[in-house]
Amino acid sequence: MPGAGSRVRTEFAVIGAGICGLAAAWALRKRGHEVLVLDQGEAGHSLGGSHGSCRIFRLGYEKPAYVTLAARARDSWTELEESCGERLLAPTPQLTFGPQVAEVRAAMAAAGTPAELITPAAAAERFPGVKVSGQVMLETGSAVISADRSLTALGRLAGQPALRVGAEQGKVTRLAIRGTGVRVSTGAGEIDAERVIVCAGPWTARLVADVGISVPGWTSLEQVAYLARANSHQPSAVTPIMVHYGGEFPYGLPVPGSDHYKIGIHFGGPPVDPDQQDHAADPGLAGRIELAARQFLPAFDPRPVKVERCIYDNSPDTDFIIDRVGPVVLGCGTSGHGFKFGPLIGEWLAFLAANGRGTGGGRAADAAPPPWFALSRF
Ligand SMILES: Cc1cc2nc3c(=O)[nH]c(=O)nc-3n(C[C@H](O)[C@H](O)[C@H](O)COP(=O)(O)OP(=O)(O)OC[C@H]3O[C@@H](n4cnc5c(N)ncnc54)[C@H](O)[C@@H]3O)c2cc1C
């Protein structure tokens, strides 16, 4: 490792080894580029937004454009699975219910991926572990993503030797424009990069302010609970993902490789300074999650066996921020729904960073990100 006074050169520096940064690094490596990835913590550390066992992959969104992008993201996941030789997504049916279910169903139909409505009685018969009411949509294109294994696989494909982590080696303290590139300062010296890709979650705004870029947003500290099966319930063949879409927004998913079920409330947590995170369980949030568990999960004990905190990096409109300003590429504002798009976001960031050069050889079309993710919309 270089000493404090040293300076290295690289084609691309990626700041942040969460799902977006690692996916961008992999996409650049696929194109034969030289990439250095920096993170202030160990990969998958608990203060970032990508840690934990699992995430939901779903096509169901209330906007048709997101349904279309999610279908593209599914292809990017397949390519990642083929490249790493591991199954990262476990196809799992999803029950969507709640006030926006009709909107989600209409968006899916508009995007050409229709989903079936079933009665609550039919849902209960098919999936006795979950109890839902009202209009219920059965989505079959959904899956549980093994989040921790995905980060490990991407880190491997992105090239471990090019990964520098920790307060000394990996924490970026300053960015400065130097000629046509960017000088990146760390405790272990400076890095001159032709382009820098900033995927630093809610820390992005502070970093890029150094080079005159203003990124709006805020951070929330979310909470999830892991539930064990209630003694009275035998494991059923399939426990589905559940999403109560709209209003108070509880969601849940079976944890891969375990008999536990993970439950949380989308946008349930309070605003937080990402540098002042207190990961003690929030009793108010715990109560709301327990209430949802009692209401929707008859097969599980509502008292959690484990609680986790995790941050959301929120843009003002909850759409992502994927853009390039001079030599600085931005991938942030994932607003609590970015994991499922990770490998596709990586493709977009690599495209922006490399000026659209190269094809990557992958299945996902090497194309620019949608214009509605541009920073200039704010
Ligand atoms: C509880 C919870 C449940 C979720 N569920 C889902 C879901 O079911 N489906 C879904 O699609 N999405 C879900 N998400 C959202 C998804 O996990 C995030 O959108 C995504 O992981 C964000 O990834 P990221 O790479 O943008 O940011 P992060 O993972 O936060 O990575 C940013 C990295 O930048 C590093 N960094 C910051 N500053 C510096 C610096 N100065 N120098 C070096 N490194 C720095 C940080 O250490 C961090 O590791 C969920 C999120 C949470 C918290």
Side-chain angles (χ1 to χ4, degrees):
M1 285 295 173
S6 69
R7 182 171 303 153
V8 296
R9 287 184 182 281
T10 184
E11 211 179 348
F12 298 101
V14 175
I15 305 174
I19 184 73
C20 295
L22 289 175
W26 175 50
L28 286 164
R29 292 281 293 215
K30 271 193 297 188
R31 292 162 172 76
H33 294 296
E34 182 194 16
V35 193
L36 194 58
V37 183
L38 301 151
D39 200 297
Q40 61 187 357
E42 297 295 324
H45 67 90
S46 62
L47 297 179
S50 300
H51 74 96
S53 55
C54 52
R55 296 288 188 276
I56 298 171
F57 178 91
R58 60 181 157 91
L59 297 173
Y61 267 85
E62 79 280 18
K63 290 185 192 163
Y66 268 118
V67 181
T68 304
L69 292 179
R72 273 185 62 194
R74 188 67 177 85
D75 291 341
S76 302
W77 279 105
T78 302
E79 188 195 341
L80 173 57
E81 288 179 317
E82 286 170 0
S83 301
C84 73
E86 275 184 73
R87 193 119 197 232
L88 301 171
L89 268 62
T92 308
Q94 175 174 316
L95 296 177
T96 307
F97 56 111
Q100 283 186 277
V101 69
E103 238 178 290
V104 174
R105 187 163 179 253
M108 289 183 74
T113 53
E116 184 193 352
L117 281 185
I118 59 173
T119 63
E125 195 181 341
R126 194 153 161 196
F127 306 111
V130 174
K131 185 175 160 223
V132 295
S133 54
Q135 271 200 320
V136 184
M137 188 185 82
L138 174 63
E139 180 179 329
T140 51
S142 45
V144 174
I145 309 171
S146 288
D148 43 8
R149 289 201 296 112
S150 301
L151 292 186
T152 306
L154 275 169
R156 215 170 41 237
L157 290 168
Q160 292 291 10
L163 190 62
R164 287 191 199 169
V165 296
E168 180 78 3
Q169 301 289 337
K171 180 166 178 158
V172 174
T173 51
R174 190 174 150 71
L175 298 179
I177 301 292
R178 282 286 178 279
T180 56
V182 183
R183 179 160 297 167
V184 179
S185 300
T186 74
E190 290 174 337
I191 297 151
D192 280 336
E194 288 176 28
R195 299 259 193 282
V196 69
I197 297 120
V198 189
C199 299
W203 292 271
T204 301
R206 286 182 210 162
L207 275 171
V208 300
D210 285 349
V211 290
I213 302 170
S214 170
V215 173
W218 62 287
T219 313
S220 54
L221 182 58
E222 304 296 329
Q223 180 160 316
V224 295
Y226 288 80
L227 309 180
R229 282 198 173 269
N231 288 336
S232 51
H233 274 264
Q234 291 308 309
S236 54
V238 180
T239 309
I241 298 166
M242 63 125 198
V243 175
H244 180 272
Y245 215 107
E248 176 95 337
F249 203 128
Y251 62 87
L253 61 161
V255 178
S258 124
D259 206 21
H260 289 163
Y261 199 82
K262 174 175 156 179
I263 176 170
I265 296 175
H266 188 46
F267 280 110
V272 73
D273 176 335
D275 287 322
Q276 306 288 330
Q277 297 179 44
D278 174 0
H279 278 207
D282 175 323
L285 211 38
R288 285 161 62 196
I289 293 172
E290 187 175 325
L291 198 66
R294 287 186 191 282
Q295 196 175 353
F296 302 124
L297 299 170
F300 294 87
D301 186 335
R303 293 159 303 178
V305 291
K306 189 172 98 171
V307 169
E308 253 173 22
R309 305 301 301 265
C310 184
I311 50 167
Y312 278 7
D313 162 31
N314 303 311
S315 75
D317 57 9
T318 72
D319 291 333
F320 309 148
I321 299 174
I322 315 278
D323 206 347
R324 181 175 140 191
V325 183
V328 178
V329 176
L330 300 164
C332 60
T334 55
S335 306
H337 66 121
F339 210 101
K340 73 182 71 58
F341 296 99
L344 181 60
I345 290 175
E347 289 287 331
W348 290 331
L349 295 170
F351 175 88
L352 292 174
N355 285 329
R357 283 181 272 132
T359 62
R363 267 191 220 160
D366 192 327
W372 43 286
F373 289 154
L375 180 63
S376 58
R377 73 183 186 273
F378 299 114

